[in-house]
């Protein structure tokens, strides 16, 4: 799952105004940020396999430090604590809980689409419902939950100016464009390291767009 992860960020922002949208965008992809870095460092392993599944070109065979359920609990707590300590938001317990939820939502969203490559702890057993085996169903689900998140965010906020009406639409267009590009089969010689670098760039671009959106809208 890619853009579907951001539905949790958009939905959480509509209920927790003290956590900015750009940080929630970072939080829902925090473990994938770590995954890409760990791939580049050789700590975790994967390979690019064109048409490995209908909706995924990645064989994610070793990622216990970022995508196990146990690791998700640790990373959720770590980022929540870091945010509360460094940002000092109002209603710290609520803000910390929202950040922890955003990080943890990544694993449960992945559970729906991944095949059995998500460890519970380390190694076997691994779980995954495998919706990526069906491109139409997985992409429809991802688009649907993203649209739901956008609706929640737009209903909970209002534009500060004329541009504020357009920024959610621009964000949606960018995200759906990225999703479509991600479905294009990679070249036969693409490396997992190159994929990880591209992923880091894509995640960061979306954080930047989320910052722009939040600057042009305010809570109702």
């Amino acid at each position: 799952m890619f853009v579907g992860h951001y539905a949790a960020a958009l939905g959480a922002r509509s209920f927790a105004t003290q956590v900015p949208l750009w940080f929630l965008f970072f939080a829902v992809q925090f473990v994938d940020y770590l995954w890409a870095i760990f791939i580049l460092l050789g700590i975790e392993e994967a390979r690019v396999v064109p048409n490995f599944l209908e909706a995924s070109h990645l064989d994610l065979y070793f990622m216990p430090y970022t995508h196990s359920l146990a690791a998700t609990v640790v990373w959720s707590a770590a980022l929540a604590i870091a945010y509360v300590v460094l940002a000092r938001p109002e209603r710290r317990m609520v803000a910390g809980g929202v950040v922890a939820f955003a990080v943890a939502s990544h694993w449960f969203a992945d559970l729906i689409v991944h095949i059995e490559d998500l460890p519970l702890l380390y190694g076997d057993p691994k779980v995954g419902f495998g919706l990526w085996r069906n491109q139409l169903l997985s992409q429809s689900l991802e688009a649907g939950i993203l649209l739901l998140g956008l609706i929640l965010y737009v209903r909970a906020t209002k534009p500060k100016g004329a541009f504020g009406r357009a920024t959610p639409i621009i964000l949606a267009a960018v995200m759906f464009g990225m999703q479509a590009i991600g479905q294009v089969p990679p070249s036969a010689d693409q490396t997992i390291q190159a994929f990880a670098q591209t992923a880091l760039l894509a995640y960061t671009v979306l954080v930047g767009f989320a910052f722009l959106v939040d600057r042009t809208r305010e809570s109702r």
Side-chain angles (χ1 to χ4, degrees):
M1 187 169 284
F2 176 34
V3 298
H5 286 302
Y6 296 101
L10 290 159
R13 177 62 179 77
S14 68
F15 294 105
T17 59
Q18 66 269 49
V19 184
L21 185 63
W22 71 265
F23 191 84
L24 290 170
F25 265 47
F26 173 74
V28 295
Q29 289 288 26
F30 182 52
V31 296
D32 268 358
Y33 267 103
L34 294 172
W35 172 83
I37 293 169
F38 285 9
I39 287 292
L40 294 173
L41 294 176
I43 297 172
E44 294 190 331
E45 299 174 6
R47 62 176 70 93
V48 178
V49 181
N51 301 311
F52 179 67
L53 300 168
E54 278 194 16
S56 175
H57 310 293
L58 298 178
D59 180 8
L60 302 164
Y61 60 90
F62 184 74
M63 50 180 187
Y65 307 117
T66 59
H67 280 72
S68 68
L69 179 58
T72 296
V73 173
V74 172
W75 295 124
S76 299
L79 191 64
I81 293 170
Y83 180 77
V84 168
V85 170
L86 297 176
R88 298 180 180 275
E90 297 180 2
R91 301 174 65 193
R92 292 186 181 184
M93 291 296 293
V94 174
V98 168
V99 172
F101 161 79
V103 178
S105 72
H106 187 103
W107 191 89
F108 291 97
D110 275 355
L111 179 65
I112 299 171
V113 296
H114 278 233
I115 58 173
E116 294 180 349
D117 55 21
L118 296 170
L120 296 179
L121 183 60
Y122 186 98
D124 294 329
K126 296 180 181 180
V127 295
F129 298 155
L131 196 61
W132 268 341
R133 293 189 177 98
N134 188 304
Q135 187 170 40
L136 177 60
L137 287 178
S138 62
Q139 298 309 295
S140 297
L141 172 66
E142 197 149 0
I145 61 175
L146 177 60
L147 285 173
L148 176 60
L150 281 165
I151 290 171
L152 290 173
Y153 175 77
V154 169
R155 291 182 64 181
T157 59
K158 59 183 179 181
K160 292 181 180 179
F163 192 48
R165 298 181 184 276
T167 49
I169 299 173
I170 295 170
L171 176 64
V174 170
M175 296 175 81
F176 283 121
M178 286 185 172
Q179 183 74 10
I181 292 171
Q183 293 302 301
V184 176
S187 62
D189 59 349
Q190 183 178 5
T191 66
I192 191 61
Q193 289 75 22
F195 180 91
Q197 291 171 350
T198 301
L200 286 172
L201 176 61
Y203 304 151
T204 304
V205 166
L206 289 178
V207 167
F209 270 99
F211 177 80
L212 172 64
V213 172
D214 240 3
R215 294 282 290 182
T216 61
R217 298 185 68 86
E218 60 187 357
S219 299
R220 290 188 183 275

